[in-house]
Amino acid sequence: MIRFEKVTKKYPGPGRPALDEVTIDIEKGEFVYLVGSSGSGKSTALRLVLRELRPTSGRVYVAGKEINRMAGWKVPRLRRQIGTVFQDFRLLQNKTVSENVAFAQQVIGKSRKEINRVVPETLEMVGLRGTADRLPDELSGGEQQRVAIARAYVNRPMILIADEPTGNLDPTTSVGIMKLLEDINAAGTTVVMATHDHGIVDQFTKRVVELGEGRVVRDEASGSYGFQH
Amino acid sequence: MTLRYVFSELRTGLRRNLTMHLAVILTLFVSLTLAGCGILLQREAKVTTNALGSDLQILVNLCTDKDPSLREGNPNCSGGAVTAAQMKQVESVLKQSPDVSAVRYQSQEQGYQIARKLYPADYFSGPTPIIRVQDWPSAFWVTLKDPNKTAGVISAVRGLPGVSHIKDQHEQLGQVYSIIGSLKVGSWIAAVFLLIAALLEVANTIRLAALARRKEIEIMRLVGASTLYIALPFLLEALVTAIIGVALASGVLALVERYGIQNGLADKIHFLPWIGWGDWLHAIIGGWPVGILILGPALTVIPTLLLTRKYIRV
């Protein structure tokens, strides 16, 4: 589903590359943690998958397509297959919960009928029944992250990218969010989650890819965060 | 594509940056009005040239049956109306002159028709009209290579039989053309400065609008909205401001045409032909140069297209 082939990404200026000849292969339906200290290249890797960045060398494949060679006008179509969740939720504060979720459908031209059907269904799925008309400000952090997940998942993407989704949440709330991501994964969506959250990685055992100074230093099918090498 | 979002964003955007949009509209309005005035002046110059000749031309009037020049003792017309042989001689003298670039014959009928456009209708009607076809002289329009070298040509034909009167357009129209020309250049220069100001304002407005919408834009990009969809509210905003600017400028130009020209100058100055509503329409829709209906939207939409590419890069 996602394949990095000797991917190097160097930002302008001096210093080592953010990613250095990284090769990773993520199968359809996998749940993968991307761990590593700050500056290890996690966010760069995620942005490469979204084609927000292009590699300096090497190739990135998403759903069988080499995306660094993709024409600009095809990028939106690629992104419709990828849902994205961030640590800071990134909700539109002036829109209600259901408007925030519906926004992701409106802007890619889904019909009103479809939106009216899918949005309540998705809100229900992420456990936000009864909050449709509330504003993000009126919700807890965990609930806001659920709205963000609903927005990322409402178009039923093949891939869900989560950049520190539990970073702003307390441990109990984080567990709830993880369960939700597991459910989404169980429904067939490939999940790639960049995280610093030891507890979560150790509790929900999955494949762990650890980056260190831009290189893959560990790739374990069923790993923990605290592995020392 | 559901356009509901686009239109609601358009409404919000226009409201959010109201003062900026007003500034763009006002600048556009004034600059388009000036550009339109430039076009009208150019049309006026053209209408005048068509009727009276350019300042490179000399008009050689030929004798009519009872030529008015007889009263001044012009011997050339003592034989009555110009004969075919006399006409031929005048034409060949003109064509042989090294200062002449072209010679065009204008019949009595053609001259009369032009006169009808220039003078009030009552000159031509009634039982004893002031101007009749047979009173209007046939003529040669002589185009010179250099408008300042009229003397040689004039002296070559002045004494020829059949030549009634010679009008040097350069002398007569030179001032009119130079006034029209300076007004035209002036209004275009002012229009260019204002249009640059309008462009800069459009650029600023887009920057502010992109900033105000940055969160929406980021989310739209991430969920895979097309660049066009993201840019559409910006483009529509640009189009709306342009349309308002064009409408205001067209209105003012219509007032200029109605009260400035038709009920103003045209009433007072009869020796010049004046532009009409067709010319006003030309200033709006245009041909060459393009009219303000094209110029206005182009000035807002093109920079918007270029800048949104920068600010909302996918």
Side-chain angles (χ1 to χ4, degrees):
Chain A
M1 183 56 69
I2 300 171
R3 182 172 164 74
F4 279 50
E5 248 179 38
K6 292 195 167 180
V7 172
T8 297
K9 175 66 193 177
K10 196 170 185 322
Y11 291 107
R16 63 166 180 81
L19 287 181
D20 193 1
E21 300 232 323
V22 167
T23 298
I24 311 173
D25 220 332
I26 297 171
E27 297 296 326
K28 188 175 186 317
E30 267 196 290
F31 193 126
V32 180
Y33 292 120
L34 214 51
V35 301
S37 54
S38 295
S40 60
K42 302 190 298 290
S43 294
T44 300
L46 297 183
R47 294 181 70 193
L48 283 167
V49 174
L50 283 164
R51 240 285 300 255
E52 284 210 57
L53 296 174
R54 291 194 203 214
T56 312
S57 65
R59 290 170 180 182
V60 180
Y61 293 88
V62 174
K65 293 195 180 85
E66 191 190 338
I67 61 166
N68 28 325
R69 287 193 185 184
M70 188 178 267
W73 61 272
K74 287 184 180 167
V75 173
R77 193 161 297 169
L78 164 79
R79 292 191 185 146
R80 288 176 198 186
Q81 300 172 7
I82 306 173
T84 323
V85 179
F86 300 95
Q87 182 175 3
D88 56 358
F89 323 136
R90 301 197 191 173
L91 299 175
L92 300 172
Q93 298 300 327
N94 57 346
K95 291 187 191 291
T96 65
V97 166
S98 67
E99 284 168 351
N100 262 289
V101 179
F103 187 73
Q105 293 215 295
Q106 278 167 4
V107 300
I108 60 168
K110 289 280 166 70
S111 70
R112 196 186 295 202
K113 198 174 148 202
E114 162 115 5
I115 295 171
N116 288 342
R117 184 177 63 80
V118 179
V119 171
E121 197 179 286
T122 310
L123 285 177
E124 170 112 23
M125 195 209 116
V126 300
L128 285 175
R129 193 196 298 181
T131 60
D133 296 328
R134 290 167 66 186
L135 290 169
D137 271 351
E138 302 163 12
L139 302 178
S140 69
E143 285 171 322
Q144 290 194 44
Q145 191 59 294
R146 283 172 191 269
V147 179
I149 293 173
R151 183 180 64 195
Y153 190 60
V154 71
N155 291 322
R156 302 295 182 265
M158 295 194 299
I159 299 168
L160 186 78
I161 284 178
D163 194 358
E164 309 268 2
T166 58
N168 277 354
L169 305 175
D170 63 69
T172 321
T173 314
S174 299
V175 167
I177 293 296
M178 270 312 293
K179 285 188 170 153
L180 182 55
L181 292 176
E182 276 195 319
D183 288 346
I184 287 173
N185 178 237
T189 298
T190 308
V191 178
V192 182
M193 172 171 158
T195 186
H196 274 125
D197 197 331
H198 299 229
I200 288 294
V201 178
D202 293 343
Q203 189 179 343
F204 294 84
T205 317
K206 311 278 179 201
R207 177 177 167 194
V208 175
V209 175
E210 184 176 347
L211 293 174
E213 298 196 332
R215 291 169 176 272
V216 176
V217 293
R218 175 164 64 112
D219 188 345
E220 277 187 311
S222 180
S224 65
Y225 194 94
F227 179 86
Q228 296 298 314
H229 48 90
Chain B
M1 191 193 275
T2 0
L3 290 176
R4 208 151 40 101
Y5 163 75
V6 174
F7 285 110
S8 86
E9 273 304 295
L10 171 64
R11 243 191 340 268
T12 320
L14 286 173
R15 230 186 0 242
R16 189 158 39 196
N17 289 322
L18 189 64
T19 49
M20 284 299 287
H21 287 306
L22 283 178
V24 173
I25 289 171
L26 286 175
T27 319
L28 259 185
F29 156 51
V30 178
S31 50
L32 290 176
T33 305
L34 281 168
C37 283
I39 299 173
L40 288 181
L41 285 161
Q42 194 189 29
R43 300 290 291 179
E44 176 60 34
K46 196 173 172 201
V47 170
T48 313
T49 311
N50 286 346
L52 304 176
S54 75
D55 63 359
L56 280 175
Q57 289 182 314
I58 299 178
L59 179 67
V60 180
N61 281 337
L62 302 172
C63 298
T64 55
D65 202 10
K66 287 175 186 150
D67 202 90
S69 70
L70 283 172
R71 270 173 284 170
E72 293 151 20
N74 179 5
N76 299 349
C77 293
S78 55
V82 66
T83 63
Q86 288 170 341
M87 217 185 282
K88 213 163 187 176
Q89 194 201 353
V90 174
E91 190 175 8
S92 78
V93 168
L94 287 171
K95 283 187 172 166
Q96 278 162 19
S97 165
D99 298 330
V100 170
S101 89
V103 177
R104 180 174 65 83
Y105 176 70
Q106 176 183 290
S107 70
Q108 285 184 296
E109 177 64 29
Q110 286 165 342
Y112 177 75
Q113 290 308 332
I114 291 172
R116 286 187 70 119
K117 288 182 197 156
L118 290 178
Y119 297 101
D122 53 355
Y123 283 26
F124 303 91
S125 56
T128 51
I130 300 171
I131 301 173
R132 296 174 303 168
V133 181
Q134 59 266 39
D135 300 329
W136 202 264
S138 56
F140 285 112
W141 283 104
V142 183
T143 307
L144 299 176
K145 288 173 184 159
D146 177 349
N148 299 313
K149 288 193 177 164
T150 55
V153 180
I154 293 173
S155 69
V157 290
R158 178 171 283 148
L160 294 178
V163 172
S164 156
H165 180 73
I166 298 167
K167 276 188 189 169
D168 178 0
Q169 299 288 109
H170 182 58
E171 212 169 84
Q172 296 198 332
L173 291 178
Q175 268 185 328
V176 173
Y177 284 126
S178 79
I179 291 170
I180 292 179
S182 352
L183 283 174
K184 185 176 76 180
V185 171
S187 61
W188 274 351
I189 289 173
V192 165
F193 279 113
L194 278 163
L195 290 172
I196 292 171
L199 271 179
L200 294 174
E201 282 178 3
V202 168
N204 272 333
T205 310
I206 295 164
R207 208 158 52 88
L208 281 178
L211 201 69
R213 277 191 205 135
R214 65 187 184 285
K215 219 166 169 182
E216 278 98 330
I217 291 171
E218 190 192 356
I219 292 163
M220 283 195 270
R221 289 175 53 219
L222 282 174
V223 300
S226 65
T227 314
L228 179 68
Y229 196 89
I230 302 174
L232 217 49
F234 292 91
L235 291 173
L236 288 175
E237 269 180 51
L239 202 61
V240 167
T241 49
I243 287 170
I244 298 173
V246 169
L248 289 172
S250 304
V252 169
L253 291 174
L255 293 177
V256 167
E257 173 64 33
R258 181 88 180 84
Y259 296 103
I261 294 173
Q262 293 189 348
N263 290 8
L265 290 168
D267 265 357
K268 295 190 180 73
I269 304 172
H270 293 298
F271 70 94
L272 284 176
W274 293 98
I275 45 173
W277 286 109
D279 300 289
W280 172 80
L281 200 63
H282 187 93
I284 308 299
I285 296 170
W288 182 254
V290 292
I292 60 171
L293 189 64
I294 312 287
L295 192 60
L299 277 166
T300 59
V301 172
I302 292 171
T304 304
L305 265 176
L306 296 177
L307 284 171
T308 44
R309 280 179 70 84
K310 181 179 161 195
Y311 291 120
I312 63 176
R313 190 180 54 85
V314 168

